Amino acid sequence: MPAESNHLLLQVDQYIEALCSKQDDALLKAIEDSDRAGLPQIHVSPNEGKLLYMLARLSGAKRILEIGLLGGYSAIWLARALPKDGKLISLELEEKHAQVARKNIDRAGLGSKVEIRVGPALDGLKKIAQAKEEPFDLVFIDADKTAYPEYLDWSLKLTRPGSVILADNVIRNGKVVGNAPGDASVEAVRIYNRRVAEDPRLEALLLPLMRESLDGLAIARVK
Ligand code: SAH
Ligand code: DHB
Ligand code: MG
């Protein structure tokens, strides 16, 4: 992308953020404490957080599943869209990330709505299926990119018609365009994108989003 249009997109992103996605103390402190604890700075942007919130709110989600919690930044946006008796379950591999997130989520006043399950997400997903828990109204996939196709399979098992399945990082600075072989995560995301677009059980759109570089969110609805 030419540097100029990149710059313009960033300015527009900041314009929208200032108008619509202002961060309160709980969100700002969640990022501060995540940084201080040395977590990677790969949380969603404020505008993407607001988009997640809007999609959860618009779909009336009462049960949300997140795959990839990190410091709880996206979880705070999503959990804020839940009704009083709503619940978000978040799957996270790293105990340290879960500990930082727990504090951030409690400080945001969302402790009772958010349940964190530590371990490989594929194990957590299998357990949820075995326990025959109620279907999720919304799933947000944002963990290891190479497992995205498997996370989609599980998401289809754990949702119902009308549920929403979201996935972050599906554009990867444009690396998903074309089919040049590249890194494994780009290839897996490409497979994910083709699957949500072509699976007869889904209708989907990929939405490009600007942050440090161009990335995007896959939005799918279970038919
Ligand atoms: N959704 C977060 C960012 C998630 S970053 C936000 O926007 O705030 C990706 C997270 O997925 C990291 O915390 C990483 O530890 C976790 N992760 C990576 N591989 C995983 C796996 N196999 N199972 C569960 N979590 C995993
Ligand atoms: C990476 C992961 C993410 O979830 C993200 O939003 C950005 C980058 C990464 O692993 O590089
Ligand atoms: Mg991400």
Side-chain angles (χ1 to χ4, degrees), residues 41-44 48 142-143 145 148 168-169 172 211 215:
Q41 297 178 359
I42 53 174
H43 50 80
V44 297
E48 188 176 0
D142 194 18
K145 310 307 160 196
Y148 269 33
D168 190 29
N169 309 116
R172 310 260 57 189
R211 45 182 174 201
D215 216 320

Side-chain angles (χ1 to χ4, degrees), residues 63 87 89 117 127-136:
R63 272 176 65 79
K87 188 164 184 191
I89 296 176
R117 299 188 186 171
K127 274 188 200 139
I128 291 170
Q130 281 165 354
K132 297 202 163 63
E133 290 187 34
E134 265 179 77
F136 291 96

Side-chain angles (χ1 to χ4, degrees), residues 30-160:
I31 293 194
E32 245 178 66
D33 281 8
S34 300
D35 289 352
R36 196 172 302 134
L39 270 49
Q41 297 178 359
I42 53 174
H43 50 80
V44 297
S45 69
N47 282 336
E48 188 176 0
K50 181 67 178 280
L51 177 60
L52 295 174
Y53 167 88
M54 294 294 294
L55 290 168
R57 196 97 169 135
L58 287 165
S59 64
K62 285 181 82 170
R63 272 176 65 79
I64 298 177
L65 174 65
E66 179 178 69
I67 306 175
L69 167 73
L70 194 65
Y73 185 77
S74 55
I76 291 174
W77 280 105
L78 282 166
R80 282 182 170 170
L82 288 169
K84 256 203 173 76
D85 57 343
K87 188 164 184 191
L88 181 147
I89 296 176
S90 189
L91 308 179
E92 172 55 51
L93 181 65
E94 303 289 343
E95 178 65 48
K96 181 182 162 185
H97 297 183
Q99 277 173 21
V100 173
R102 182 83 264 165
K103 282 193 192 138
N104 288 334
I105 288 162
D106 289 349
R107 183 172 42 214
L110 297 163
S112 63
K113 284 181 179 169
V114 179
E115 185 184 329
I116 298 170
R117 299 188 186 171
V118 180
L122 288 172
D123 293 354
L125 291 162
K126 204 191 265 176
K127 274 188 200 139
I128 291 170
Q130 281 165 354
K132 297 202 163 63
E133 290 187 34
E134 265 179 77
F136 291 96
D137 307 309
L138 187 147
V139 181
F140 176 49
I141 300 170
D142 194 18
D144 47 329
K145 310 307 160 196
T146 49
Y148 269 33
E150 284 176 278
Y151 294 150
L152 180 60
D153 290 334
W154 281 107
S155 298
L156 281 160
K157 288 193 183 102
L158 300 176
T159 50
R160 49 149 182 93

